[in-house]
Amino acid sequence: MAEDLERVAPLIDGKVLPSASADQLETYDPSNGARLAAIPRGAAEDADRAVRAARASFDRRDWSKAPPGERKAVLLRWAELIAQNAVRLDALDALEMGKPVSLQVYNAMVAAGLVRFNAEAIDKVSGDVLSSDSLSTVIQTRGPRGVVAAIIPWNFPTYNSVLKIAPALAAGNSVVLKPSEFASQSAMMLGRLAHEAGLPPGVLNIVPGSGGTVGRALAEHMNVDMVTFTGSSDVGKLIMQYAGASNMKVVGAECGGKSPQIVFDDGIDPDVIAGYIARSIATNQGQVCSFGSRLLVQESLCDILVERISARLADIVAGDPQLSSTTYGPLVSSRQMQRVEKFLSQARTQGAEVVYGGRRILKETGGFFIEPTIVTNAGADSQIAREEIFGPVVAVLPFSDAEDAIRLANETSYGLAAYIWSTHAATGFRVANALQTAVTVVNADAVGSAGPGFAFSGEPAGLSGIGLEGGVAGLETYQRRQTMWFNHG
């Protein structure tokens, strides 16, 4: 398949063009370490050309002011093309970043459904007629912001592209997408399919390259009206700085998480919960921002639950992510693998115990595989219990009662998600109400199963970012409100 890759080059104004920079970045197959291809490092000039094309298309109004039915029809055709090419898109993501094709969460078919949802929402979003005196009428309308720059991570390449592009297009904006340099192939294919579906030239532009060059240029660009970003908290801070230092463009940023899984010993079935948590640890090799990587367990249940989770993790099938039999793939890169290994080494030095996993596996393949890992005896203030690892590592922290669980859960700089397991509805509600998180899930294993109407990131706290993502509420963030006051007295 490596010989049949999409061409990675700037897609600007409906045409694939050479980058302004001759420098290139090497990409690698994480399952075996072999070189895949070279992609452009990118240049600020690439970003500028794409923004100018997006602005010209927006000002032409052939998309931004097109009737809702026309925009809906194009997006529905795009969704159908994504569905028809889902196998290919999933294979590209498996090849570039190691997401197993067997993983049904956030895959290409789910992305197609997300496009359909946003297409159908186009004519459901309305404005308001506000209260006024009898001699005036006040109307508040919603319209597109203009040019939206979208910067996405590598962990779910197809889905993350669509998560940004679909609502931005549905709202009437023109878009410039910067995919991750680790995984650009599916983004290029999505761009080609969007134009095949009838999207006018310049409405969707894709600029591959490094974040420090292309991403920064987009965030600083004076002709970008909004930048939407998903990635690490450190880079999210930079994006906000760049936006503020330029034209104070609107920023949406979904960043990191160190989400707690809180398990009470109140009659909960440890076998059932162990299955859910083991699946969470193994999903996309823990490379998920909402992954419950802090396992808070009531003291009386702690040893039993850790034992049951370990037994479930032994059932993973690690290997080539392009095989349908594989349930567990590699980490995205050698650097990410070394990052996880460093966290584990530091934890051991600080007295923590790795009770399951923690080793590099399938080393003979040359791939970047690390076993799912459970760490105990790590203090609540330790790095492994406080910092986002973005790998298949969970730190176990025992608690005594609900108040202790709430205290531990809130002792973090993040506030993206939390998971509570209890047989008592009152306990679930009490703890959920006390947590400083955007999303709290009670007695369920994944927010990914909630469907495209779910505004996933809510309003995150701390280092987890700012703004909404998903659902009709997420679509509305790509629009601006305009108030018109008519005096007819």
Side-chain angles (χ1 to χ4, degrees), residues 122-156:
I122 286 175
D123 54 7
K124 312 299 189 296
V125 177
S126 60
D128 300 292
V129 178
L130 305 178
S131 299
S132 59
D133 59 57
S134 60
L135 298 179
S136 60
T137 302
V138 182
I139 300 172
Q140 194 169 75
T141 62
R142 296 178 186 271
R145 293 191 180 277
V147 175
V148 173
I151 303 170
I152 63 167
W154 42 258
N155 58 334
F156 296 103

Side-chain angles (χ1 to χ4, degrees), residues 320-342:
D320 185 345
Q322 295 191 71
L323 299 177
S324 60
S325 57
T326 296
T327 64
Y328 187 82
L331 297 178
V332 69
S333 66
S334 175
R335 185 175 72 178
Q336 190 67 14
M337 180 180 68
Q338 291 167 8
R339 172 182 168 84
V340 173
E341 290 176 326
K342 182 178 179 181

Side-chain angles (χ1 to χ4, degrees), residues 92-407:
L92 288 172
D93 291 347
L95 181 68
E96 285 198 294
M97 67 74 48
K99 182 180 77 67
V101 295
S102 64
L103 182 60
Q104 299 302 301
V105 177
Y106 303 131
N107 64 1
M109 287 302 291
V110 177
L114 185 60
V115 176
R116 292 190 190 99
F117 173 87
N118 282 279
E120 294 294 347
I122 286 175
D123 54 7
K124 312 299 189 296
V125 177
S126 60
D128 300 292
V129 178
L130 305 178
S131 299
S132 59
D133 59 57
S134 60
L135 298 179
S136 60
T137 302
V138 182
I139 300 172
Q140 194 169 75
T141 62
R142 296 178 186 271
R145 293 191 180 277
V147 175
V148 173
I151 303 170
I152 63 167
W154 42 258
N155 58 334
F156 296 103
T158 296
Y159 182 84
N160 281 325
S161 293
V162 166
L163 184 61
K164 304 293 189 184
I165 298 170
L169 292 181
N173 299 283
S174 292
V175 178
V176 180
L177 175 73
K178 202 234 48 105
S180 167
E181 48 268 49
F182 287 107
S184 304
Q185 293 286 335
S186 57
M188 302 310 303
M189 185 173 186
L190 288 168
R192 175 170 59 78
L193 295 176
H195 287 100
E196 187 178 330
L199 197 69
V203 176
L204 174 60
N205 307 274
I206 300 174
V207 184
S210 72
T213 300
V214 177
R216 178 171 182 169
L218 290 172
E220 290 182 330
H221 204 289
M222 295 295 290
N223 215 7
V224 169
D225 301 295
M226 176 182 180
V227 59
T228 174
F229 166 81
T230 298
S232 73
S233 301
D234 287 342
V235 177
K237 291 178 183 179
L238 291 175
I239 295 295
M240 295 178 74
Q241 291 174 27
Y242 299 151
S246 52
N247 60 344
M248 291 184 68
K249 58 180 66 67
V250 174
V251 176
E254 184 195 329
C255 300
K258 192 69 176 177
S259 303
Q261 296 258 15
I262 307 171
V263 186
F264 287 89
D265 186 12
D266 58 6
I268 207 86
D269 187 334
D271 284 316
V272 173
I273 304 309
Y276 284 138
I277 293 174
R279 183 160 60 246
S280 174
I281 296 170
T283 294
N284 213 25
Q285 300 75 255
Q287 298 169 130
V288 185
C289 61
S290 58
F291 165 39
S293 55
R294 288 188 299 148
L295 179 55
L296 280 55
V297 188
Q298 199 153 20
E299 292 166 340
S300 54
L301 185 64
C302 198
D303 290 344
I304 295 172
L305 188 61
V306 168
E307 177 187 312
R308 304 290 171 83
I309 294 170
S310 299
R312 292 300 186 94
L313 288 174
D315 293 334
I316 67 163
V317 180
D320 185 345
Q322 295 191 71
L323 299 177
S324 60
S325 57
T326 296
T327 64
Y328 187 82
L331 297 178
V332 69
S333 66
S334 175
R335 185 175 72 178
Q336 190 67 14
M337 180 180 68
Q338 291 167 8
R339 172 182 168 84
V340 173
E341 290 176 326
K342 182 178 179 181
F343 268 101
L344 293 175
S345 175
Q346 289 173 336
R348 290 186 179 100
T349 300
Q350 295 168 2
E353 182 182 0
V354 175
V355 296
Y356 185 89
R359 299 169 300 175
R360 185 176 179 185
I361 56 174
L362 303 181
K363 198 171 182 178
E364 68 281 2
T365 67
F368 313 131
F369 295 87
I370 287 188
E371 290 175 298
T373 304
I374 303 174
V375 178
T376 61
N377 297 329
D381 292 331
S382 64
Q383 285 181 305
I384 205 160
R386 295 188 67 86
E387 296 185 23
E388 184 179 45
I389 302 172
F390 225 60
V393 180
V394 63
V396 180
L397 303 172
F399 67 85
S400 57
D401 55 23
E403 287 304 316
D404 193 30
I406 292 167
R407 177 187 60 80

